[in-house]
C-alpha cells in the first residue's frame, strides 16, 4: 500500500515555472554546467520524440538564478521523469547542499500537487553520470517516495583490466586476422545490414530508435553518439553504438555478423572501449528480455566476462493527497 505523506513546508524563496520555449537557451546552458545533467536532458534530445509525450517539464528559480530543471511528461493525472529517456530526474546546479536539493524537490512536488496530479514517478540520474558525488544520497523515504521499480544494470568501473582469458584470447585472434577498429558516425549500412536483421531475429521487434532518429540526434549532438566498428578490409563485421558522456560510455546498441563472431570482432571492440581515455565507467545496460522480463543468463555472463558488476537503479513514486 502506498503512503500519502504531507509535503514539507518550504523555507526558501523558490519559484517553479513550467518550461516554455522562451527558456530554451537557459535550459540548454544550465544542463551543460549542471552537477548531474547529460545531453539526454537537453531540449535538443528531449524533443526529438516530443510528439509522443505531453511535456510538463519545470524549472526552479531563486530570484534570477536557475537552481534546477526537471524534465517530465504527463499521462492522464500522472507525471513521469521520464519514459522517453534511460533516466530523467532532478538536474541540479553545482554545489547545492543536500538541504537545498530537498527543498527544490519539495517545491516541484508542491507545483504538481496544485495541478491536481495523482502521482509522480522519477528515475533519477545514476550517481556515476554526475559531476558531483552524493547526489544519490537523497533520502527519498523521508521525502515521501516509495520504490516502485528497480533496474539491474551492468557496469564496468575503471581501472579497466581485461582479466578473462577467453576474452584476451579473442582480442589476440581478432588482431591476428587483421581486424581494424574505426570511430565515426552511425552509418545507415550498419543500421540496416547488421542492426535491424539482428533485432528481427533475436528480439522480434525494431530498436527503440529508428535510423532517422539516430541520424537526427547525432547531428544535434556532435561527438556524443558514435559508432565504434570493426572492419576486415572493407567488410563491416561488427559495431557498437555508444552514447558518450564526459565520464561514462553507454553501450546503446551492438550487432555482429556471423563472420564477425568467428573473428571475435566484439571482443576487439570492447577492448577498444576499455582503452578510451578519461572514461570512468562503461554502462552495458540490462540483461533482461524486454518482452518476457526473463533474465538472459548468456548475456549476463558475456558482460561479466569483461569485468562488469551489477548496479541497481531505482524508480521512485510519490503519491499526492
Amino acid at each position: 500500500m502506498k503512503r500519502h505523506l504531507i509535503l514539507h513546508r518550504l523555507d526558501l524563496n523558490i519559484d517553479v515555472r513550467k518550461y516554455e520555449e522562451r527558456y530554451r537557451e537557459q535550459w540548454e546552458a544550465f544542463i551543460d554546467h549542471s552537477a548531474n545533467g547529460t545531453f539526454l536532458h537537453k531540449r535538443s534530445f528531449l524533443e526529438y520524440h516530443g510528439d509522443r509525450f505531453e511535456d510538463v517539464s519545470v524549472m526552479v528559480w531563486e530570484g534570477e538564478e536557475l537552481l534546477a530543471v526537471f524534465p517530465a511528461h504527463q499521462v492522464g493525472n500522472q507525471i513521469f521523469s521520464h519514459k522517453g529517456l534511460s533516466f530523467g530526474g532532478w538536474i541540479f546546479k553545482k554545489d547545492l547542499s543536500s538541504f537545498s536539493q530537498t527543498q527544490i524537490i519539495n517545491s516541484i512536488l508542491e507545483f504538481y500537487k496544485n495541478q491536481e496530479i495523482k502521482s509522480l514517478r522519477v528515475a533519477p540520474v545514476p550517481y556515476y553520470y554526475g559531476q558531483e558525488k552524493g547526489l544519490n544520497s537523497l533520502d527519498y523515504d523521508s521525502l515521501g517516495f516509495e520504490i516502485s521499480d528497480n533496474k539491474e544494470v551492468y557496469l564496468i568501473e575503471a581501472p579497466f583490466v581485461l582479466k578473462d582469458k577467453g576474452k584476451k584470447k579473442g582480442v589476440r585472434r581478432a588482431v591476428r586476422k587483421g581486424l581494424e577498429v574505426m570511430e565515426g558516425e552511425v552509418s545507415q549500412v550498419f543500421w540496416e545490414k547488421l542492426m535491424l536483421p539482428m533485432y528481427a531475429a533475436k528480439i522480434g521487434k525494431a530498436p527503440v530508435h529508428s535510423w532517422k532518429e539516430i541520424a537526427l540526434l547525432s547531428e544535434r549532438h556532435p561527438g556524443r553518439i558514435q559508432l565504434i566498428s570493426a572492419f576486415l578490409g572493407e567488410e563491416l563485421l561488427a559495431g557498437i553504438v555508444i552514447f558518450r558522456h564526459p565520464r561514462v560510455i553507454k553501450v546503446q546498441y551492438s550487432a555482429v555478423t556471423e563472420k564477425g563472431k568467428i573473428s571475435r570482432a566484439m571482443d576487439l571492440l570492447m577492448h577498444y572501449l576499455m582503452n578510451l581515455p578519461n572514461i570512468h565507467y562503461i554502462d552495458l545496460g540490462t540483461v533482461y528480455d524486454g518482452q518476457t522480463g526473463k533474465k538472459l543468463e548468456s548475456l549476463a555472463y558475456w558482460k561479466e566476462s569483461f569485468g562488469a558488476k551489477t548496479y541497481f537503479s531505482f524508480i521512485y513514486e510519490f503519491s499526492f493527497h
Side-chain angles (χ1 to χ4, degrees):
M1 180 180 295
K2 294 193 178 298
R3 295 171 297 170
H4 302 275
L5 301 186
I6 298 173
L7 295 173
H8 297 210
R9 182 175 65 85
L10 300 181
D11 297 316
L12 302 179
N13 184 24
I14 287 177
D15 178 26
V16 180
R17 306 174 197 169
K18 188 176 185 299
Y19 171 78
E20 298 176 9
E21 179 62 25
R22 62 192 173 109
Y23 294 127
R24 170 181 289 274
E25 187 175 332
Q26 288 156 298
W27 180 294
E28 302 294 66
F30 180 83
I31 295 296
D32 286 336
H33 299 95
S34 65
N36 60 331
T38 74
F39 76 92
L40 304 181
H41 299 107
K42 302 191 81 169
R43 305 307 306 184
S44 52
F45 193 99
L46 286 165
E47 293 172 3
Y48 90 88
H49 51 19
D51 58 324
R52 304 177 207 168
F53 300 99
E54 180 185 351
D55 186 76
V56 289
S57 302
V58 296
M59 307 172 76
V60 182
W61 304 77
E62 186 173 28
E64 296 301 315
E65 183 179 19
L66 184 56
L67 301 181
V69 300
F70 184 66
H73 65 93
Q74 184 170 346
V75 180
N77 56 5
Q78 293 180 298
I79 300 294
F80 296 90
S81 183
H82 191 294
K83 284 190 172 183
L85 303 173
S86 299
F87 43 81
W90 340 94
I91 311 303
F92 295 113
K93 174 183 176 292
K94 287 182 179 178
D95 301 320
L96 285 177
S97 67
S98 58
F99 173 79
S100 294
Q101 292 171 9
T102 298
Q103 292 299 294
I104 286 168
I105 292 172
N106 275 307
S107 70
I108 293 172
L109 294 176
E110 187 71 43
F111 176 87
Y112 287 124
K113 179 185 178 183
N114 293 333
Q115 310 299 315
E116 298 185 353
I117 295 300
K118 179 181 177 181
S119 66
L120 180 148
R121 297 186 73 185
V122 56
V125 180
Y127 76 91
Y128 46 89
Y129 280 89
Q131 301 298 308
E132 292 182 0
K133 295 182 179 180
L135 287 173
N136 264 40
S137 62
L138 289 166
D139 188 349
Y140 283 95
D141 184 68
S142 68
L143 282 164
F145 286 85
E146 289 192 342
I147 295 173
S148 64
D149 202 357
N150 66 75
K151 182 169 64 173
E152 186 181 24
V153 174
Y154 279 71
L155 191 69
I156 309 175
E157 186 173 356
F160 305 122
V161 180
L162 189 58
K163 296 181 179 180
D164 186 270
K165 292 181 179 179
K167 295 304 176 189
K168 291 194 286 187
K169 183 178 179 180
V171 173
R172 292 195 296 268
R173 179 183 178 89
V175 172
R176 282 200 310 270
K177 285 186 169 291
L179 273 65
E180 295 182 320
V181 177
M182 295 184 64
E183 286 189 35
E185 297 180 354
V186 182
S187 69
Q188 192 168 1
V189 171
F190 167 77
W191 203 262
E192 295 181 353
K193 301 296 184 182
L194 272 69
M195 272 288 300
L196 294 183
M198 187 209 72
Y199 261 72
K202 290 191 173 183
I203 302 177
K205 63 177 183 178
V208 172
H209 301 93
S210 68
W211 154 247
K212 288 185 178 180
E213 288 172 338
I214 282 290
L216 174 64
L217 290 171
S218 298
E219 182 181 345
R220 289 182 177 181
H221 307 96
R224 294 295 193 187
I225 300 174
Q226 295 179 308
L227 175 65
I228 312 299
S229 49
F231 282 85
L232 182 59
E234 298 295 319
E235 185 179 2
L236 175 61
L237 299 185
I240 297 177
V241 177
I242 62 171
F243 282 13
R244 196 164 192 161
H245 303 275
R247 304 171 70 242
V248 182
I249 291 292
K250 171 65 168 68
V251 173
Q252 196 71 20
Y253 298 106
S254 63
V256 59
T257 66
E258 288 302 319
K259 187 174 180 179
K261 291 178 183 178
I262 296 171
S263 303
R264 306 294 290 272
M266 200 58 70
D267 291 348
L268 180 65
L269 292 181
M270 284 298 300
H271 181 259
Y272 182 87
L273 291 183
M274 294 171 74
N275 283 277
L276 289 174
N278 304 317
I279 298 299
H280 297 265
Y281 302 94
I282 300 175
D283 183 347
L284 298 181
T286 66
V287 295
Y288 289 87
D289 187 298
Q291 294 178 310
T292 66
K294 183 179 179 181
K295 186 172 183 177
L296 304 173
E297 296 294 346
S298 61
L299 182 58
Y301 175 79
W302 183 83
K303 293 181 179 184
E304 289 168 355
S305 69
F306 290 101
K309 297 181 179 180
T310 55
Y311 162 79
F312 284 92
S313 61
F314 297 97
I315 297 175
Y316 298 94
E317 183 167 358
F318 186 94
S319 295
F320 296 89
H321 288 288

